[in-house]
Amino acid sequence: MSNAKSTPPKVLHVHSTFAAGGKELRSVQLMNAFGKKLHHTIVSAMPEQMAAREHIGKHLKVDFPKDFPSLTGFPSPGRLIEIAKAMKRYDLVLTYNWGAMDATMAHGVFAQRLGLPPLIHHEDGFNEDEAGALKKRRNYYRRAALTKSTALIVPSERLEAIALNRWGQPRANVHRIPNGINTKAFAGKPRPNALRVIKREGERWVGTLAGLRPVKQLDQLVRAFAPLPEHWQLVILGEGPERDAIQVIADSHEISHRVHLPGAVPEPAKVIGMFDIFALSSASEQFPLSVVEAMAAGLPVAAPAVGDIASMVAQSNRDFIANTSDLKALEKALVNLAQDEGLRKSIGKDNRERACERFDEADMIERYRKLYSRAIGREF
């Protein structure tokens, strides 16, 4: 652990994966905001997935050690103590999601014996194998692993309730900090050539940003979109193993010419404003950042009522948040929004105002800074 106040505190980030997903990009967002006031080291349970690394500011020096003990495998005492010993040189340990829970357990078991630094765990959601229901054994493991943690941070009301009621965490240790974005970046008009797909005169777009994975149920979105008139196009921004399956569904509904999959985009702020309606179809979400981005871009949202989505959007948008299992309700929401341009604009305006008021990154960054500073024992 660093002692000299002139030396930036050393922070160890233990990730389940460092792919360019929501929790990883939020972590990078905070690192970039804190600048050189902290010295960061990043390890991942899946070392081959490191795409979020490309988003780290060039001004930051970040370590990616290759000799950190494995974060996967049976949690034997021998493996856990090796992980715990590797934490000793830091001032703060930050763990993220289930894939990093062995590191959290190592800290919980050996923190007192080894004099380990404080640990803060971040829980943003669940893997596909827990999308329907949480696994009891994992709940017991989480409860035990978090015994010595300084804090547990969650972005959503549902996760907050789970942490308190299912994982038995003390009220004082659980902090709900909604994800925030640079809302100003989404206010500008997008460039018409920002995607490989060109928006033609008279076209209207339903769009989404999502990994092409089964839990996102993008086949359901294609089905719900199918009844919309010919001038409506569906644009799905993302990559993943379900690409071919999505195209098969589009072919079966004879709308493949209106369904576009141009790939993932590194900067959503430059393209999301091209949409006329933002849509989600996921079986499991907590606090999807893409919904906040759509709101900031002034879009209406059609989505199932998973996670906090219904409470995230403006009041005027809530009639278009469908029952989680009702494909027809999502279809109806899309059809009704597609038919009324004035309604779309009115809801979009309300959503933008709510995003700027509730979900701007400045408040999020400050809350994280205060919590991390308190754990380290000094301001930065």
Side-chain angles (χ1 to χ4, degrees):
M1 297 174 66
S2 58
N3 295 314
K5 288 200 173 182
S6 60
T7 303
K10 296 179 180 178
V11 180
L12 172 66
H13 301 258
V14 184
H15 281 273
S16 51
T17 166
F18 204 55
K23 73 168 179 66
E24 296 86 3
L25 294 179
R26 184 197 60 225
S27 176
V28 170
Q29 180 183 11
L30 292 169
M31 290 167 58
N32 290 339
F34 299 147
K36 297 180 180 180
K37 295 176 182 177
L38 297 175
H39 183 105
H40 302 279
T41 297
I42 295 173
V43 296
S44 171
M46 303 177 73
E48 72 282 3
Q49 295 192 14
M50 301 294 285
R53 182 174 182 170
E54 300 301 316
H55 297 266
I56 297 173
K58 303 301 182 185
H59 63 292
L60 292 183
K61 181 181 182 299
V62 180
D63 297 326
F64 294 87
K66 297 186 181 299
D67 59 349
F68 197 89
S70 175
L71 297 170
T72 60
F74 183 76
S76 64
R79 189 168 73 83
L80 293 182
I81 199 169
E82 289 304 311
I83 295 173
K85 286 178 179 177
M87 297 177 181
K88 282 181 63 65
R89 69 191 73 150
Y90 300 97
D91 298 288
L92 177 64
V93 178
L94 305 177
T95 55
Y96 303 82
N97 280 17
W98 172 252
M101 194 55 68
D102 280 359
T104 312
M105 177 63 86
H107 182 275
V109 173
F110 296 108
Q112 190 168 351
R113 185 190 307 181
L114 297 180
L116 298 182
L119 179 145
I120 295 176
H121 183 68
H122 307 69
E123 192 64 56
D124 282 78
F126 307 105
N127 297 333
E128 291 174 18
D129 56 1
E130 289 191 286
L134 299 183
K135 295 180 180 293
K136 288 184 178 180
R137 291 181 64 182
R138 290 190 184 181
N139 281 340
Y140 294 139
Y141 195 83
R142 289 174 174 118
R143 183 186 288 253
L146 291 164
T147 54
K148 294 292 191 298
S149 63
T150 298
L152 169 61
I153 303 178
V154 296
S156 76
E157 295 173 0
R158 179 171 179 263
L159 277 170
E160 182 179 39
I162 289 171
L164 294 171
N165 302 322
R166 304 289 291 277
W167 303 340
Q169 296 306 294
R171 171 69 270 182
N173 282 20
V174 179
H175 302 263
R176 177 164 58 89
I177 305 179
N179 292 327
I181 64 169
N182 179 359
T183 56
K184 291 181 181 178
F186 289 82
K189 191 173 181 180
R191 291 183 290 109
N193 61 346
L195 289 174
R196 286 185 292 170
V197 181
I198 302 299
K199 189 173 187 179
R200 295 179 173 83
E201 186 75 26
E203 280 186 355
R204 297 292 180 265
W205 284 9
V206 173
T208 193
L209 286 84
L212 311 187
R213 297 180 287 116
V215 72
K216 299 300 183 180
Q217 298 188 143
L218 292 164
D219 59 328
Q220 297 279 63
L221 179 56
V222 173
R223 292 185 178 96
F225 167 82
L228 268 62
E230 187 70 17
H231 66 285
W232 280 89
Q233 310 288 309
L234 176 60
V235 180
I236 301 172
L237 301 180
E239 292 290 357
E242 291 290 293
R243 172 181 285 272
D244 289 345
I246 294 166
Q247 291 177 327
V248 167
I249 295 297
D251 288 340
S252 70
H253 285 75
E254 299 183 348
I255 56 169
S256 57
H257 62 293
R258 295 198 289 130
V259 176
H260 311 279
L261 294 92
V265 293
E267 297 180 82
K270 293 185 177 180
V271 299
I272 199 169
M274 297 172 71
F275 300 161
D276 297 279
I277 301 170
F278 184 82
L280 280 185
S281 51
S282 300
S284 177
E285 295 283 356
Q286 297 302 323
F287 190 98
L289 204 59
S290 61
V291 168
V292 180
E293 292 170 341
M295 292 168 64
L299 300 180
V301 176
V306 292
D308 282 13
I309 292 177
S311 61
M312 290 167 64
V313 298
Q315 183 68 45
S316 59
N317 197 151
R318 290 176 188 173
D319 287 344
F320 302 93
I321 306 304
N323 182 287
T324 56
S325 59
D326 190 348
L327 173 62
K328 284 296 181 182
L330 180 59
E331 177 185 311
K332 181 179 178 183
L334 288 174
V335 169
N336 288 344
L337 286 170
Q339 290 174 343
D340 194 331
E341 182 178 1
L343 180 63
R344 295 197 302 272
K345 290 184 176 179
S346 175
I347 293 174
K349 179 176 180 293
D350 292 345
N351 274 344
R352 170 146 181 87
E353 289 176 357
R354 185 169 174 82
C356 293
E357 178 185 338
R358 298 281 298 274
F359 307 128
D360 191 77
E361 67 177 0
D363 180 60
M364 179 195 73
I365 291 168
E366 180 60 14
R367 292 181 66 185
Y368 272 95
R369 187 192 65 78
K370 286 182 177 178
L371 192 54
Y372 291 172
S373 293
R374 189 157 63 244
I376 293 169
R378 63 187 256 206
E379 294 289 327
F380 64 83

